[in-house]
Amino acid sequence: MTLEDLRVFVAVCRAGSLSSVARDLGCTQSAVSQHVKRLERETGLALLERQPRGVVPTQAGRVLEAAAAEGISGLDLAVRQLRDLLDGHSGHVRVATGATTVRHFMSDAVVTFRRRHPKVNLEFRTVSSGRGTFDALADGTLDLAWITLGPPVRGIEQRTVVELPWVLAVPADDPLAVRPRLDPADLADVPLIRLPPNSASAAHLDAACAESGVRFAYDASVADWDTALLLAELGAGRAVVPAVPGLPMPGEGPLRLIPLPGLRPLPVGWAVRRWDALSPPARAFADTVRVRPRHGCGDG
């Protein structure tokens, strides 16, 4: 049993496919299979169950995957820390996020962190999916991920930093712009710009609407919150968006934001493999990001 055997096995369990792991590693499917077979010989147990569309770990495989992933992540962290000692740097922090997140939630924190920790390499990455983000956290490729919090994920800890109230964004000349607040039912027949359809924020909004007994109608969709806000400001549509920091106060500017206190707020914050396993620089950066809810967009 080698470390490479365990790395390959964990990758197969997460991908659910021998062939996809082989493509990622640039080797044959047979070579990937040999790693798994070696582990099965040494443990004396079947670790994978073949299915029509791939493979899934057996009960024994799940036990080994969890232990192997934990050990590999710890070893990778130790190796990175040793390299930092060798090259004289004070460490690095790798964060999964996007431009919208950095702009609205982390701009001040980045400046403060840079000033306090000038030798730390701060790296931002974009991950294409939530599953990819969690896998990267689990295998140590990422230290932190800024996410919309959702259901529990095995091997991942989630921590809320702020709950964002929902608002309706409209141009200043929109008939709804004069309303001090709206009930979700008021928008039942109003065409809206849809948040990214496969995003966690869109799923949360749909769930919050279901709780309120309403269903929104959409006539367009966008890739991110900022695009929805821009289209609303230009008069190209109305958008229900979270009240992210940095937006104009209600009643100010060409873009008007009308609170929707009847919708459950959107929880956003950090996802990590384990808080107690974070490196000191990663913990320091996470603690630097402090977000206060926008005044005037709550239900008070």
Side-chain angles (χ1 to χ4, degrees):
M1 182 183 300
T2 67
L3 182 58
E4 186 63 18
D5 291 337
L6 294 171
R7 286 187 185 278
V8 171
F9 176 68
V10 170
V12 169
C13 290
R14 290 175 177 168
S17 167
L18 296 170
S19 59
S20 65
V21 173
R23 286 193 299 270
D24 291 342
L25 296 178
C27 64
T28 66
Q29 182 171 329
S30 176
V32 172
S33 181
Q34 287 304 313
H35 286 288
V36 177
K37 288 179 179 178
R38 186 156 44 238
L39 292 174
E40 291 182 327
R41 285 196 301 269
E42 295 197 27
T43 61
L45 295 166
L47 300 176
L48 292 177
E49 178 183 343
R50 275 67 178 177
Q51 295 189 341
R53 293 190 176 184
V55 295
V56 296
T58 63
Q59 182 178 359
R62 289 194 295 271
V63 172
L64 182 61
E65 178 200 1
E70 181 78 11
I72 291 169
S73 181
L75 285 172
D76 288 343
L77 174 60
V79 170
R80 292 197 302 271
Q81 292 173 335
L82 291 173
R83 287 174 179 167
D84 291 336
L85 291 174
L86 180 64
D87 63 22
H89 292 297
S90 298
H92 56 259
V93 181
R94 296 155 307 166
V95 184
T97 184
T100 297
T101 299
V102 173
R103 180 183 307 113
H104 291 297
F105 298 101
M106 299 183 186
S107 55
D108 291 341
V110 169
V111 173
T112 299
F113 185 81
R114 284 293 193 196
R115 186 171 62 250
R116 294 176 180 172
H117 307 276
K119 292 185 178 181
V120 174
N121 179 22
L122 187 58
E123 179 182 343
F124 293 102
R125 301 183 183 180
T126 300
V127 182
S128 59
S129 68
R131 183 67 262 173
T133 296
F134 297 140
D135 286 347
L137 288 170
D139 65 22
T141 306
L142 290 171
D143 300 301
L144 298 158
W146 185 266
I147 65 168
T148 295
L149 275 70
V153 177
R154 184 166 64 90
I156 299 296
E157 296 182 17
Q158 302 181 49
R159 180 170 296 182
T160 301
V161 175
V162 66
E163 292 189 336
L164 303 173
W166 294 97
V167 295
L168 176 70
V170 297
D173 59 357
D174 190 285
L176 294 175
V178 298
R179 299 283 293 273
R181 64 186 60 218
L182 288 166
D183 187 270
D186 296 333
L187 303 178
D189 299 318
V190 177
L192 300 171
I193 298 170
R194 183 175 177 82
L195 297 179
N198 296 324
S199 67
S201 56
H204 182 98
L205 177 58
D206 289 343
C209 288
E211 292 172 3
S212 298
V214 299
R215 184 181 181 87
F216 291 159
Y218 299 103
D219 61 358
S221 63
V222 293
D224 54 53
W225 301 343
D226 279 350
T227 303
L229 289 163
L230 176 61
L231 292 178
E233 183 175 342
L234 295 174
R238 297 157 166 162
V240 174
V241 295
V244 295
L247 295 184
M249 296 300 294
E252 299 178 0
L255 180 69
R256 300 299 167 87
L257 305 173
I258 302 100
L260 294 165
L263 293 178
R264 175 167 50 89
L266 180 75
V268 296
W270 293 116
V272 302
R273 186 178 65 87
R274 270 181 32 211
W275 282 101
D276 60 5
L278 278 178
S279 68
R283 174 65 67 87
F285 181 74
D287 290 342
T288 304
V289 178
R290 304 290 185 185
V291 184
R292 294 181 179 180
R294 296 181 67 259
H295 177 71
C297 286
D299 57 358

